[in-house]
Amino acid sequence: MGSRRQRAVADGERSLIGSPSRHSAAGGDLLDQDAPTPVFIYVLAFFSALGGLLFGYDTGVVSGAMLLLKKEMNLNALWQELLVSSTVGAAALSALGGGFLNGWLGRRICILVSSLVFSIGGIILSIAPDKVVLLVGRITVGLGIGIASMTVPVYIAEVSPPHLRGQLVTINSLFITGGQFIASVVDGAFSYFEPRWYMLGLSTLPAVLQFFGFLFLPESPRWLLQKGRSQEARQVLSQIRGNQSIDEEYDAIRTNIEEEEKEAGGGGFIILRILGHGPTRRALIVGCGLQMFQQLSGINTVMYLLRLLLPTLCSHWLESGL
């Protein structure tokens, strides 16, 4: 047990703030990379990434919907702006509390909550008789987006084998863009049907699928260990990893949590300690910079408003002979 513990310290996930272990490069993998990956891992990733699909769909579908609904519901410029931006604003507010909810309730419960909120929002959008109810529905799905965007990547990362973690977390991003693509297809299809705002409520289907799927899926073993539920964490990790040995990975997660708890009790603002450590400072700058430049590129304007601007742009191009 002692030697296994020492290997876990060497091979475990090191804290972002602490200095890297000089033994970390010498140790072997926590799991055998040549061993077949249990199918259950991909099931977990799929049901988790449905939150990304909902994120992409609910943010993408509104562009085409506004093109069709502005006449049917007599939407002026203010109401169009409200229906588009209310979801993003609600998502930002709920994301602020997402970290706290993840630590308090757990990843699984947060995903269940976000699925339930998505479902309620989709039902409201489907039966909306007027623009006020439509706005309530858009705000509701925004709350679900905020919780899902804070929870899904964390859950996938914590249940994934270390050597597949990057690949599986990327599935969430793939589902987000896939949801936006599906939203564009649905917008085009529903331009021929009545009532056209039903397209806004189609997100209920994957939300219900995710909700019932997660009723049977486990909690993150890392969160269980953080809450002192060691036996349950071991059982979940064994279930996720199939027939592979989990002793080293289990000890590595536990060691990492203990190190984080010691560092959390070290005093001082965590952001100052992050900025004072070179590797984490650089990672923070790169990550925040990518997010900032992504938004400054104007992609949100294109995604939300391009279809509203296209008729005007086409008229201008025709008049100018382009």
Side-chain angles (χ1 to χ4, degrees):
M1 179 67 181
S3 62
R4 192 174 70 231
R5 174 87 171 173
Q6 292 174 359
R7 290 197 303 270
V9 174
D11 295 337
E13 301 171 348
R14 308 302 297 174
S15 169
L16 285 176
I17 300 175
S19 300
S21 171
R22 61 186 176 90
H23 302 289
S24 59
D29 292 331
L30 295 177
L31 292 174
D32 184 4
Q33 296 188 20
D34 296 328
T37 303
V39 176
F40 191 48
I41 291 293
Y42 296 104
V43 173
L44 289 172
F46 170 77
F47 277 97
S48 303
L50 285 176
L53 180 74
L54 291 165
F55 184 172
Y57 183 86
D58 282 316
T59 54
V61 74
V62 68
S63 176
M66 289 302 99
L67 192 63
L68 302 172
L69 297 180
K70 65 178 182 178
K71 294 181 180 179
E72 293 188 15
M73 290 192 172
N74 192 27
L75 300 177
N76 57 26
L78 175 61
W79 270 98
Q80 291 180 55
E81 293 169 0
L82 285 174
L83 290 172
V84 170
S85 61
S86 58
T87 299
V88 182
L93 291 176
S94 63
L96 289 175
F100 170 76
L101 291 176
N102 269 270
W104 178 37
L105 299 175
R107 304 7 169 174
R108 176 176 173 270
I109 296 299
C110 282
I111 292 177
L112 284 169
V113 169
S114 68
S115 302
L116 182 61
V117 173
F118 273 125
S119 301
I120 294 173
I123 293 172
I124 294 174
L125 291 170
S126 299
I127 64 175
D130 53 47
K131 56 190 178 184
V132 176
V133 179
L134 204 62
L135 179 62
V136 172
R138 290 289 293 167
I139 293 174
T140 304
V141 297
L143 296 174
I145 287 173
I147 298 174
S149 63
M150 291 294 292
T151 308
V152 168
V154 174
Y155 181 83
I156 296 177
E158 291 183 346
V159 300
S160 300
H163 63 285
L164 289 177
R165 188 163 296 146
Q167 299 176 33
L168 294 178
V169 171
T170 305
I171 293 177
N172 184 57
S173 299
L174 179 63
F175 271 49
I176 291 175
T177 54
Q180 293 170 341
F181 171 76
I182 293 172
S184 298
V185 174
V186 169
D187 283 341
F190 269 78
S191 63
Y192 301 99
F193 297 99
E194 299 286 348
R196 292 172 176 170
W197 59 85
Y198 278 7
M199 69 180 76
L200 295 172
L202 283 182
S203 60
T204 305
L205 300 178
V208 170
L209 176 62
Q210 185 184 49
F211 181 84
F212 283 102
F214 260 87
L215 290 177
F216 305 98
L217 296 179
E219 179 56 82
S220 160
R222 180 182 178 83
W223 183 83
L224 292 171
L225 268 173
Q226 287 177 326
K227 297 302 178 180
R229 296 157 63 175
S230 303
Q231 188 61 34
E232 189 176 351
R234 180 178 284 276
Q235 292 174 354
V236 168
L237 193 60
S238 179
Q239 177 188 5
I240 294 173
R241 298 293 181 258
N243 296 324
Q244 301 181 45
S245 174
I246 64 166
D247 291 335
E248 289 189 28
E249 185 179 8
Y250 176 85
D251 289 339
I253 296 173
R254 184 173 60 183
T255 301
N256 182 240
I257 291 173
E258 291 173 355
E259 290 178 351
E260 289 180 351
E261 290 175 349
K262 290 178 182 178
E263 290 169 351
F269 292 104
I270 188 69
I271 186 63
L272 296 179
R273 296 166 62 196
I274 290 175
L275 293 175
H277 185 240
T280 54
R281 181 176 63 249
R282 290 190 291 272
L284 182 65
I285 292 173
V286 170
C288 293
L290 287 172
Q291 288 293 319
M292 181 182 70
F293 287 114
Q294 181 186 53
Q295 302 305 311
L296 292 177
S297 69
I299 184 60
N300 286 340
T301 302
V302 173
M303 186 170 63
Y304 295 137
L305 302 176
L306 180 61
R307 290 174 187 153
L308 296 175
L309 297 175
L310 273 178
T312 304
L313 292 173
C314 290
S315 299
H316 174 72
W317 291 337
L318 290 173
E319 291 174 0
S320 60
L322 296 177

